[in-house]
């Protein structure tokens, strides 16, 4: 089975990827594609909370480079786990591009975190997660990191 693991550069998405790995059976998964989506209409750069910012001036931000750094960090969770790991940075609507990535590879599962951005204390299911669930061609695992920051297997 091929699994899409989505990241938006948030700590929640990193915790969600760890939760997926903790509950998944690597013997049943042949490939994992870690996907980040950069919105071409974003007023702010890809908000990567996972790595040190390499550029100090806002004009030097590379949306693609920040997204790629987040994808690399999340993909690192799966190093040595078993399945082949792929990395993608896509451009467009996050939900639409995650669904499109799943369709392109014939994914058997999409895993993403809810509450990575926005009003996380008041919204049960994030907008992107809800949209992916509505349109996905396969089952969707929505991971919700605990509020205390405790992660399984840590």
């Amino acid at each position: 089975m091929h699994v899409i693991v989505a990241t938006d550069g948030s700590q929640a998405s990193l915790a969600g990827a760890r939760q997926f790995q903790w509950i998944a059976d690597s013997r049943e998964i042949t490939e994992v594609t870690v996907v980040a989506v950069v919105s071409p209409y974003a007023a702010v750069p890809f908000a990567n909370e996972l790595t040190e910012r390499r550029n100090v001036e806002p004009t030097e931000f590379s949306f693609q480079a920040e997204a790629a750094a987040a994808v690399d960090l999340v993909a690192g969770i799966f190093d040595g786990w078993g399945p082949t790991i792929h990395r993608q940075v896509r451009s467009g609507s996050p939900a639409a591009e995650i669904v499109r990535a799943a369709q392109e590879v014939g994914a058997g599962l999409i895993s993403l975190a809810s509450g990575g951005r926005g009003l996380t204390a008041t919204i049960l299911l994030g907008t992107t997660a809800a949209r992916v669930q509505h349109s996905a061609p396969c089952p969707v695992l929505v991971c919700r990191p605990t509020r205390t920051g405790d992660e399984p297997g840590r």
Side-chain angles (χ1 to χ4, degrees):
M1 172 175 33
H2 196 137
V3 178
I4 298 292
V5 175
T7 180
D8 62 0
S10 68
Q11 290 294 330
S13 71
L14 181 62
R18 287 185 177 134
Q19 286 175 334
F20 160 71
Q21 184 194 33
W22 183 68
I23 64 171
D25 183 348
S26 65
R27 297 170 297 179
E28 299 293 324
I29 299 167
T30 56
E31 297 178 81
V32 172
T33 298
V34 180
V35 175
V37 181
V38 176
S39 173
Y41 307 111
V44 295
F46 184 88
N48 179 8
E49 300 172 353
L50 303 178
T51 61
E52 293 286 325
R53 290 229 160 68
R54 291 173 301 287
N55 306 309
V56 293
E57 295 297 319
T59 57
E60 294 178 6
F61 271 144
S62 167
F63 295 12
Q64 293 285 329
E66 290 297 321
V71 165
D72 286 343
L73 195 136
V74 171
I77 291 171
F78 303 105
D79 284 346
W81 191 49
T84 302
I85 309 303
H86 307 280
R87 296 163 172 81
Q88 284 188 10
V89 174
R90 301 172 73 100
S91 179
S93 160
E97 288 302 316
I98 292 166
V99 168
R100 189 170 292 121
Q103 291 168 332
E104 289 172 2
V105 301
L109 179 71
I110 297 171
S111 175
L112 72 163
S114 178
R117 304 264 178 246
L119 304 172
T120 58
T122 59
I123 295 177
L124 180 62
L125 186 65
T127 304
T128 298
R131 288 180 180 158
V132 168
Q133 282 186 318
H134 180 74
S135 303
C138 59
V140 178
L141 172 65
V142 179
C143 300
R144 180 115 178 130
T146 60
R147 290 179 192 262
T148 62
D150 295 335
E151 297 167 22
R154 291 235 155 233

